[in-house]
Amino acid sequence: MNDKLYHECYRHVCQARSLLENLQAWGFDTVTPVLKKSDVGSVVDEKIVPAPDVVKTLDELKDEVERCQRCSLARSRSKTVFARGNPRADLVFVGEAPGFEEDRQGLPFVGEAGGLLDRILFAMGLSEKDVYICNLIKCRPPANRNPAADELAACRPYLECQLSLLEPRVIVTLGRFAAQLLLAVQTPVSHLRGNWYQYQGVAVLPTFHPAFLLRSPAAKKLVWEDMKKVKQRLISEGCKLN
Ligand code: URA
Ligand code: URA
């Protein structure tokens, strides 16, 4: 099987898995294996499952996220948090979930952890206009608790769609949840960080979360090593920087 076909099949398998997880999160415990075309249409029409494939632009996806009612976080959020930065950037950062300040402003990484992320970017010689920053889940979990499995499952198609529209060259995942979800592994982030992986054919480098660095400043040295690798890769691949 050639690479393109392989990735296409892989993408469909991922989408099928997300679809099943979403149905499960909605309380479906059985799926009829043979669906008539009209049945499939009605599932999509009723918006039980969003259909990221029919979403054509990031703006349309953002609008869909703003209206999203797919999990209980919709009831407690102030604003959905879609992204900040440059949609044409070759480098995308994927964090975990909005916190207090992000929920208030509707932008990712604008609180204390965001301040540290901006300083990391500055040290790399980059700014917001050179990167695109988003999260695994688009609504704030109350009291900044960890995202729950059903929330991750409900929100995952949005991230998958967002990344496929962005077509970045390099993805940096921040913290445990983003790395484990995108790479579909349970490995601790301390083992994953600093190594290259792939997500749908795109290079992924997991690193620690800036909020973790605020609690454990000694780990900043490791993140800096990781960011040097990222910058080297972007340069060696002739990606646009500044
Ligand atoms: N932590 C995250 O993972 N994302 C944000 O947007 C803010 C804090
Ligand atoms: N544990 C996490 O969840 N994230 C980190 O970045 C580091 C440890």
Side-chain angles (χ1 to χ4, degrees):
M1 199 185 290
N2 70 29
D3 253 21
K4 192 157 180 271
L5 189 60
Y6 174 81
H7 288 305
E8 189 66 7
C9 290
Y10 181 74
R11 200 169 69 86
H12 286 299
V13 170
C14 289
Q15 280 176 353
R17 187 175 61 182
S18 301
L19 188 82
L20 289 169
E21 283 169 356
N22 293 331
L23 287 169
Q24 195 178 36
W26 274 86
F28 289 80
D29 50 15
T30 322
V31 176
T32 313
V34 182
L35 288 172
K36 296 196 296 289
K37 256 200 176 144
S38 55
D39 292 339
V40 177
S42 72
V43 170
V44 173
D45 290 349
E46 284 165 27
K47 301 235 179 314
I48 290 173
V49 176
D53 266 350
V54 303
V55 173
K56 289 290 180 291
T57 67
L58 284 167
D59 284 343
E60 284 167 350
L61 184 64
K62 183 169 188 272
D63 287 348
E64 189 175 328
V65 165
E66 279 168 11
R67 293 191 304 270
C68 181
Q69 299 290 327
R70 292 167 42 76
C71 81
S72 61
L73 298 182
R75 292 198 290 276
S76 55
R77 73 176 176 229
S78 309
K79 288 189 174 160
T80 55
V81 174
F82 189 68
R84 69 178 169 100
N86 182 353
R88 287 180 304 282
D90 284 324
L91 175 59
V92 169
F93 286 83
V94 179
E96 187 176 308
F100 176 83
E101 202 49 46
E102 289 78 19
D103 174 73
R104 204 177 66 79
Q105 295 189 35
L107 291 168
F109 284 100
V110 288
E112 216 187 336
L116 179 52
L117 180 59
D118 284 342
R119 292 197 292 283
I120 292 170
L121 290 177
F122 183 76
M124 294 172 79
L126 304 176
S127 73
E128 189 188 73
K129 69 182 187 338
D130 308 304
V131 299
Y132 183 91
I133 303 170
C134 61
N135 282 310
L136 277 190
I137 68 168
K138 312 304 191 204
C139 298
R140 181 189 181 214
N144 299 345
R145 63 160 168 72
N146 287 339
D150 62 327
E151 293 154 5
L152 288 166
C155 219
R156 179 189 182 130
Y158 295 133
L159 179 71
E160 286 174 352
C161 186
Q162 199 170 18
L163 292 174
S164 76
L165 289 166
L166 289 164
E167 297 187 319
R169 300 288 288 272
V170 173
I171 298 171
V172 170
T173 58
L174 301 169
R176 167 162 74 101
F177 282 92
Q180 292 182 345
L181 188 122
L182 275 197
L183 304 179
V185 295
Q186 295 292 309
T187 317
V189 66
S190 54
H191 293 186
L192 296 171
R193 66 143 280 277
N195 297 303
W196 289 105
Y197 300 89
Q198 294 242 323
Y199 165 79
Q200 313 253 324
V202 181
V204 177
L205 188 123
T207 196
F208 290 132
H209 195 288
F212 171 73
L213 298 183
L214 292 170
R215 300 191 299 274
S216 311
K220 284 182 187 170
K221 204 159 57 77
L222 297 173
V223 171
W224 183 235
E225 294 303 314
D226 300 346
M227 293 307 102
K228 283 194 289 195
K229 285 189 187 171
V230 168
K231 187 135 189 215
Q232 268 161 18
R233 179 146 190 160
L234 290 167
I235 291 169
S236 72
E237 293 195 2
C239 295
K240 40 186 195 297
L241 285 169
N242 276 329

